[in-house]
Amino acid sequence: ARSHTMTRLGLLRDSAVAITRVTRTRATSSAPPASLGAAAPSRIGRSLVAMTLGRPAFATTSSAVASPSIHRARSQRANGRGIAVRVMSAATERERLTNANPNARGKDNSGAAIRQRFLKFYETRGHAVLPSSSLVPEDPTVLLTIAGMLQFKPVFMGQRERAHERATTTQKCVRTNDIENVGVTARHHTFFEMLGNFSFGDYFKKDACQWAWELATGEFGLNPERVWVSVFREDDEAFAIWRDVVGVPESRIKRMDEKDNFWAAGPTGPCGPCSELYYDFHPERGLEGADLDDDSRFIEFYNLVFMELNRDADGGVTPLKNKNIDTGMGLERMAQILQGVPNNYETDLIMPIIDKAASMAGIDYNACNDVQKQQLKVIGDHTRAVSYMISDGVFASNIGRGYIVRRLLRRVVRNGRLLGIKPEEGASAFTPAIAEVAISMSEGCDPQVAKNSARILAELEREELSFQKTLGRGEEMLAELIETAKKTKTGLSGKDAFTLYDTYGFPLDITTDVATEAGITVDLEGFESAMAEQRSMSQAAHQTVDVTAGNALARVADELGAKSTFIGYESTSSDVSNVLAIVCGGESVEEASEGAKVDIVLDVTPFYAESGGQVGDNGVLHTANGATLEVSDVQKAGGGRIIVHTATVTKGSIKKGSQVTANVDENSRRRAKSNHTATHLLQSALKKVLGEDVSQAGSLCGFDRLRFDFNSPKAPTEAQLLEVENLVNGWISQSAALTAEEMPIAAAKDKGATMMFGEKYGDVVRVVDVPGISMELCGGTHVSNTAEIGGFKILSEAGIASGIRRIEAVAGAGVVELLQQRDAVVKQLASALRVPPEEITGRVSSLQEDLRATQKLAESLRGELAVAKAGALVSQAREVGEAKVLVARLDGVDPAALKVAAENLAAQLGDGAAIVLGSANGANVGLVALFDDKVQKDGGLKAGQVLGAAAKKCGGGGGGKPGFAQAGGRDATQLDAALDESLATVTAALSPK
């Protein structure tokens, strides 16, 4: 039976065709609020977040944009379990192709051209063309960059001054809240590009609407009679603009409710109505009763958010002083329309990746059945996503962003194996070859992807090979679960089925098919429940953006209307600084007395605020009236506009408007500077030793030590770490002078300055240069000459996540302190061992040898004692059939001695020995099982399975081979019961039938 099961499992590795059912779980929408003034947000804007209300965003579609085939699939539910077979008829595809946009023909409608035409259109209208931000957002409230406006959130929230009045971007985005629908619907994606134009208090509705129409019908050539518009039901202004200024007939303008056409930042804060543009694939159906939610007819392709109101805590709304525009156009959607293909996947943005995967599987996409096409679409979409994420420094792991990379990549591998994709000749993995196509197409969206190709391909290969091993373990697990279910006459639990799916990559259908062939049922409801729970956690983790976080501090900055000036690069003191604000207990106050812990905002400060990995300064503030404040931390607030000094009033009192002298603790600053500069040198050394693909994944430059996280698929060797350490110390001894210069970010890039993934940079940046050694964008404080560092010593190196390593080190005064500490330890050891320091190593080695000899002797004696005890047990063996079964307890015997005793008993019992021994040592339990070949053959017994059940009863675990196994537990009170169950199991298996 097991042989048959394992053969059936071969489908996962070798079959090019498998029955795939698609779990379709539709997220329910919250009811919209009754009025605009409700405190709860009525709509999360699709230009801001992955939608939780109404229709999903450009990358994720619901019933509003599903194809006709999806409606057919919904009717093909199986036994109410929400499992449907997706059907896409050839006639439906031909119908969509026939209705492709006729006005777009004869133009360059490639994805690259659409992107460039969009950006050029708005550039000629005064918009600054800005690069895509990283998929690792600056915003801590969201896991990944999920919208084009995310990089501008601080500007929209008033937390950062605008650098431009108008901007346009193509933003790479990743959303995974509806991952199961990728490849199922026409427009679901995890990775997508969002084209956008933004106004920061400049133009508003009229220009936004006119330009959107001109872009759609003029630049892109859409037939005006096929473009419909939606507006918020109460937005008469937008309705009039579309009708009277743009010239859209009233019959093609639809008023819609909050859930569809009103955007809100959150319960309070900026909000406003939206207007959306839809393309009509079937105008022949007429105007009467047209429903923009009819996905068989319409596709939404452009969304305009009019950010014009502010909602207060009472639910009231007032006009914003500065009104903003935030728009989003899905590049893949516009490509589908202009290229006349039935879905986003068959555009030139994704199809080349799919074609590569199909060719490696030896199949033609056009000749594939629907299941195979779906699998190829998943590969195309997910390959893009993981390539861009790895480029931005996200590596596969079991937590956070790393888990998303791992999950997406495993779905690629799983679908590739089902299709029969094999690695190309000379390769050990197939995903890198497919990813090379995605990388070759990345230039227009993110030029860094191609530059990071070596890192991307290496990570894909490493993770795929690791997953292959996991799949092998999963196959064994499924076979064992089925064997257990047969013996216990129970079905396969939904939890186990989900574990196979989520951890080992087994589709539910493979598990169900294999189990059914073995006569075992699968708890599908339990599986759906586990799936829903995971989906809920996934959505909660990265579906919404909290754009109201930090508003309290932003209000202080708004009230001040002034910025804090940092003078700490030039000086560590200020003779005259004015107290602009005092915050105590989260509230602004006029005065604070002795003992109060306060946040102080100064107009001018030498104190460095924590950023870029460097901790904030500490020091002292003094007032003219004799008050003293001890500063323990310094942070930026209000989008960097103000610098907040966390301090305790240790003497007197301080008033708002007072003048203070500000003095940074120079010793602490000197330590932080040394550690920060040493971190720059460390990164350069790692690049030289481990390769240029090394990039920073985080850092901390404190007063006592430094910490540096970096990407690396494997741990550096001791020799490599020593080489890194020597390089850094060599550069320190060179007495290299540092320079710090502000320049446009484009100039910094041209110079080759190193930038950190996920860090947000302005148009003007500060470049710290150690000529010929290191050049990085950095706002921190640094030594003026490397000699000031004094020395550098690595303390530790370890992995903190899959593909991420961490080095902890000391520099400057910390090195001297480290030497003093270690010298003290050496002196204590030398005294205790009564040898000179240089002979400690030899003396310790001699002691270790003596200890090993003593332990070996003790182990031998314990084994002899166990054998002696076990000798008295031979007479207790029972004859069961042709076997001799001995299940007994030997307390006070350690695991190694227990093994010796079992082997000795087996020799005495002879052929057909089945032995299970247990030993209690306090609360701990030791178990051993030994079955010879005859017992395994006659009874079908496996030592690992029998012992595993016994160990589980004792609160532990373990296992081994069919003939021998060891295990342990933590509950000795259950040992007798566990041994009784083992005896019953062995006896039942060996008893004559």
Side-chain angles (χ1 to χ4, degrees):
R2 178 176 173 83
S3 175
H4 175 74
T5 300
M6 294 302 291
T7 301
R8 178 68 181 84
L9 285 169
L11 278 174
L12 191 61
R13 292 192 303 265
D14 306 318
S15 175
V17 181
I19 299 174
T20 302
R21 298 181 181 89
V22 180
T23 303
R24 302 271 299 165
T25 303
R26 290 174 56 81
T28 57
S29 298
S30 302
S35 69
L36 196 67
S42 58
R43 179 175 186 258
I44 305 299
R46 63 171 54 79
S47 66
L48 176 67
V49 300
M51 291 287 292
T52 57
L53 304 178
R55 295 188 308 281
F58 283 124
T60 59
T61 56
S62 67
S63 60
V65 285
S67 68
S69 61
I70 294 300
H71 292 297
R72 290 193 292 275
R74 286 174 187 150
S75 68
Q76 297 176 18
R77 304 291 177 179
N79 298 325
R81 294 194 303 267
I83 300 175
V85 178
R86 173 169 166 76
V87 179
M88 171 68 81
S89 67
T92 301
E93 295 197 23
R94 285 196 299 272
E95 180 184 27
R96 293 294 296 277
L97 286 168
T98 300
N99 285 282
N101 174 42
N103 293 344
R105 294 169 186 158
K107 299 181 181 179
D108 184 356
N109 292 315
S110 65
I114 295 170
R115 181 194 298 118
Q116 188 58 36
R117 288 163 67 186
F118 181 97
L119 297 175
K120 189 68 176 178
F121 179 88
Y122 282 105
E123 184 180 25
T124 60
R125 287 156 180 78
H127 292 64
V129 179
L130 302 181
S132 170
S133 62
S134 170
L135 285 171
V136 180
E138 180 181 8
D139 186 343
T141 68
V142 65
L143 196 64
L144 293 165
T145 297
I146 57 176
M149 68 79 67
L150 196 59
Q151 65 171 301
F152 304 117
K153 169 188 158 183
V155 179
F156 285 132
M157 296 301 298
Q159 297 169 347
R160 179 181 297 159
E161 291 186 354
R162 64 183 185 182
H164 308 279
E165 293 182 342
R166 306 175 179 183
T168 184
T169 66
T170 176
Q171 176 63 53
K172 54 190 175 182
C173 301
V174 170
R175 297 179 187 167
T176 60
N177 50 303
D178 281 315
I179 189 173
E180 295 302 322
N181 287 326
V182 171
V184 179
T185 69
R187 293 173 280 277
H188 263 91
H189 296 294
T190 56
F191 178 89
F192 61 98
E193 285 187 58
M194 187 73 83
L195 304 170
N197 57 287
F198 307 91
S199 168
F200 311 108
D202 187 30
Y203 66 86
F204 199 50
K205 284 185 188 178
K206 182 180 177 182
D207 287 334
C209 294
Q210 285 184 299
W211 286 339
W213 188 264
E214 184 181 347
L215 174 71
T217 62
E219 176 62 40
F220 290 139
L222 299 185
N223 185 341
E225 296 182 359
R226 288 191 172 206
V227 180
W228 291 58
V229 175
S230 71
V231 298
F232 176 54
R233 66 163 187 261
E234 298 173 15
D235 193 357
D236 295 331
E237 180 186 5
F239 191 99
I241 291 172
W242 287 116
R243 181 191 60 196
D244 302 333
V245 179
V246 178
V248 181
E250 280 194 30
S251 57
R252 294 209 311 276
I253 306 175
K254 294 285 187 180
R255 292 183 185 268
M256 303 182 78
D257 292 334
E258 289 98 335
K259 70 183 181 69
D260 294 309
N261 280 70
F262 195 85
W263 173 89
T268 61
C271 56
C274 304
S275 195
E276 296 161 335
L277 275 64
Y278 293 78
Y279 185 75
D280 185 355
F281 286 106
H282 295 287
E284 73 279 0
R285 297 182 186 176
L287 303 177
E288 187 75 24
D291 181 4
L292 296 182
D293 283 347
D294 180 1
D295 55 280
S296 69
R297 177 175 178 177
F298 296 104
I299 178 174
E300 175 198 339
F301 66 87
Y302 206 178
N303 181 43
L304 316 178
V305 176
F306 309 128
M307 205 180 301
E308 60 181 326
L309 303 171
N310 184 71
R311 178 183 285 137
D312 60 32
D314 297 327
V317 291
T318 55
L320 283 173
K321 179 181 179 181
N322 293 317
K323 299 179 180 181
N324 305 309
I325 291 292
D326 158 29
T327 79
M329 174 185 284
L331 175 60
E332 292 80 5
R333 291 190 177 201
M334 183 54 72
Q336 179 194 345
I337 296 170
L338 296 183
Q339 295 175 18
V341 292
N343 55 69
N344 291 356
Y345 296 95
E346 295 182 34
T347 67
D348 67 347
L349 294 166
I350 306 176
M351 198 63 202
I353 308 172
I354 291 175
D355 285 337
K356 176 64 176 179
S359 69
M360 293 179 69
I363 54 179
D364 178 5
Y365 175 83
N366 294 318
C368 287
N369 60 37
D370 295 323
V371 172
Q372 291 172 312
K373 284 185 177 181
Q374 179 186 324
Q375 292 164 342
L376 287 167
K377 289 173 184 176
V378 169
I379 293 173
D381 172 87
H382 290 5
T383 298
R384 286 208 304 171
V386 296
S387 296
Y388 279 81
M389 289 179 72
I390 295 171
S391 176
D392 277 355
V394 183
F395 293 85
S397 70
N398 290 326
I399 57 173
R401 302 180 185 100
Y403 175 70
I404 293 175
V405 170
R406 172 158 289 167
R407 188 180 180 202
L408 294 180
L409 183 53
R410 289 186 171 189
R411 282 170 59 88
V412 172
V413 175
R414 185 176 70 224
N415 282 281
R417 288 163 71 110
L418 287 168
L419 286 166
I421 296 178
K422 304 293 184 184
E424 294 182 333
E425 186 175 352
S428 56
F430 69 80
T431 51
I434 300 175
E436 285 180 344
V437 179
I439 293 169
S440 70
M441 300 163 59
S442 65
E443 179 68 23
C445 178
D446 180 8
Q448 291 299 316
V449 174
K451 295 179 181 179
N452 295 328
S453 61
R455 173 199 306 154
I456 296 168
L457 300 180
E459 175 68 2
L460 291 176
E461 179 181 29
R462 185 192 66 79
E463 184 64 14
E464 180 183 339
L465 295 178
S466 173
F467 185 41
Q468 287 178 6
K469 297 177 183 177
T470 301
L471 279 173
R473 292 194 294 270
E475 290 173 347
E476 293 183 0
M477 178 181 174
L478 178 54
E480 290 181 2
L481 287 170
I482 289 175
E483 296 259 345
T484 301
K486 284 181 178 180
K487 291 180 180 178
T488 59
K489 301 188 185 305
T490 60
L492 194 66
S493 72
K495 182 179 179 181
D496 286 337
F498 183 73
T499 298
L500 287 165
Y501 167 83
D502 193 51
T503 303
Y504 297 102
F506 278 71
L508 176 62
D509 302 290
I510 293 294
T511 300
T512 303
D513 291 345
V514 175
T516 300
E517 288 185 4
I520 302 299
T521 60
V522 179
D523 177 13
L524 296 177
E525 288 187 3
F527 176 88
E528 295 289 350
S529 177
M531 174 71 82
E533 182 180 355
Q534 188 213 53
R535 184 180 289 110
S536 175
M537 290 188 295
S538 176
Q539 290 174 342
H542 55 265
Q543 183 174 336
T544 59
V545 183
D546 177 8
V547 296
T548 60
N551 270 1
L553 291 172
R555 281 196 296 272
V556 173
D558 290 340
E559 291 168 2
L560 291 174
K563 295 174 62 176
S564 298
T565 300
F566 175 61
I567 61 170
Y569 292 137
E570 299 83 21
S571 175
T572 55
S573 65
S574 169
D575 292 334
V576 180
S577 293
N578 295 301
V579 178
L580 300 180
I582 304 173
V583 178
C584 185
E587 299 291 337
S588 294
V589 297
E590 294 296 317
E591 183 177 3
S593 301
E594 187 171 327
K597 187 171 183 179
V598 295
D599 289 329
I600 302 290
V601 180
L602 304 177
D603 62 343
V604 176
T605 179
F607 283 81
Y608 181 81
E610 180 175 334
S611 61
Q614 182 177 330
V615 297
D617 283 327
N618 54 40
V620 182
L621 303 179
H622 294 288
T623 67
N625 65 3
T628 301
L629 291 85
E630 297 285 347
V631 178
S632 57
D633 189 24
V634 185
Q635 299 286 333
K636 293 180 181 179
R641 288 177 290 167
I642 56 176
I643 296 175
V644 180
H645 307 70
T646 299
T648 300
V649 183
T650 58
K651 180 181 178 183
S653 63
I654 185 169
K655 293 182 179 181
K656 181 179 177 181
S658 301
Q659 287 189 340
V660 300
T661 58
N663 297 288
V664 174
D665 183 285
E666 294 194 10
N667 181 54
S668 296
R669 169 69 75 83
R670 190 180 304 111
R671 286 169 170 265
K673 286 165 54 175
S674 295
N675 283 332
H676 202 154
T677 304
T679 301
H680 285 213
L681 301 183
L682 172 59
Q683 178 166 211
S684 293
L686 287 168
K687 285 178 175 289
K688 281 186 174 294
V689 176
L690 302 182
E692 286 297 323
D693 284 340
V694 166
S695 63
Q696 182 176 340
S699 67
L700 175 64
C701 303
F703 302 132
D704 57 343
R705 64 178 58 196
L706 65 92
R707 187 180 71 211
F708 185 77
D709 300 341
F710 61 100
N711 67 288
S712 178
K714 58 183 180 180
T717 64
E718 287 295 328
Q720 288 173 324
L721 289 175
L722 180 59
E723 186 178 356
V724 166
E725 198 174 87
N726 289 338
L727 273 172
V728 174
N729 281 310
W731 290 330
I732 291 172
S733 66
Q734 288 178 16
S735 301
L738 277 75
T739 61
E741 179 185 1
E742 289 191 349
M743 64 182 70
I745 191 168
K749 290 180 178 178
D750 291 341
K751 283 178 171 286
T754 299
M755 303 180 187
M756 181 179 173
F757 291 115
E759 192 73 18
K760 180 67 178 176
Y761 299 105
D763 292 336
V764 177
V765 295
R766 183 169 181 262
V767 177
V768 176
D769 186 17
V770 187
I773 299 172
S774 166
M775 186 180 351
E776 294 189 30
L777 270 60
C778 182
T781 63
H782 291 272
V783 300
S784 59
N785 187 295
T786 58
E788 295 177 31
I789 300 174
F792 173 81
K793 180 65 181 176
I794 293 176
L795 299 176
S796 64
E797 191 282 332
I800 58 171
S802 178
I804 304 295
R805 312 294 302 179
R806 170 173 291 174
I807 285 178
E808 293 196 7
V810 290
V815 175
V816 176
E817 292 171 355
L818 176 68
L819 290 174
Q820 290 172 339
Q821 292 169 2
R822 293 190 174 178
D823 182 60
V825 171
V826 169
K827 287 178 178 177
Q828 289 177 354
L829 283 173
S831 175
L833 297 173
R834 298 182 180 180
V835 295
E838 60 271 16
E839 294 181 13
I840 290 177
T841 303
R843 179 60 176 148
V844 170
S845 296
S846 176
L847 290 173
Q848 287 177 323
E849 290 179 6
D850 291 345
L851 179 60
R852 281 193 291 269
T854 303
Q855 289 174 334
K856 189 174 182 180
L857 177 61
E859 184 177 329
S860 175
L861 293 173
R862 283 194 294 269
E864 291 176 8
L865 178 61
V867 168
K869 287 184 177 181
L873 299 176
V874 174
S875 61
Q876 297 179 23
R878 306 181 186 184
E879 290 193 4
V880 181
E882 297 181 4
K884 304 176 188 66
V885 178
L886 177 57
V887 178
R889 180 166 174 164
L890 274 178
D891 288 344
V893 178
D894 63 29
L898 207 60
K899 177 184 177 183
V900 173
E903 291 171 343
N904 185 269
L905 285 169
Q908 293 185 58
L909 293 175
D911 196 29
I915 300 168
V916 179
L917 299 178
S919 176
N921 288 283
N924 294 323
V925 172
L927 293 161
V928 65
L930 190 155
F931 300 158
D932 69 10
D933 292 341
K934 181 175 177 57
V935 169
Q936 295 175 51
K937 181 178 179 182
D938 293 349
L941 288 167
K942 294 179 181 177
Q945 289 183 353
V946 173
L947 212 61
K952 187 175 182 180
K953 192 169 187 66
C954 293
K961 298 178 180 179
F964 180 80
Q966 281 185 292
R970 296 179 299 276
D971 186 1
T973 63
Q974 295 297 313
L975 179 56
D976 288 334
L979 292 174
D980 288 343
E981 288 185 8
S982 297
L983 177 60
T985 299
V986 174
T987 301
L990 294 173
S991 294
K993 305 297 188 288

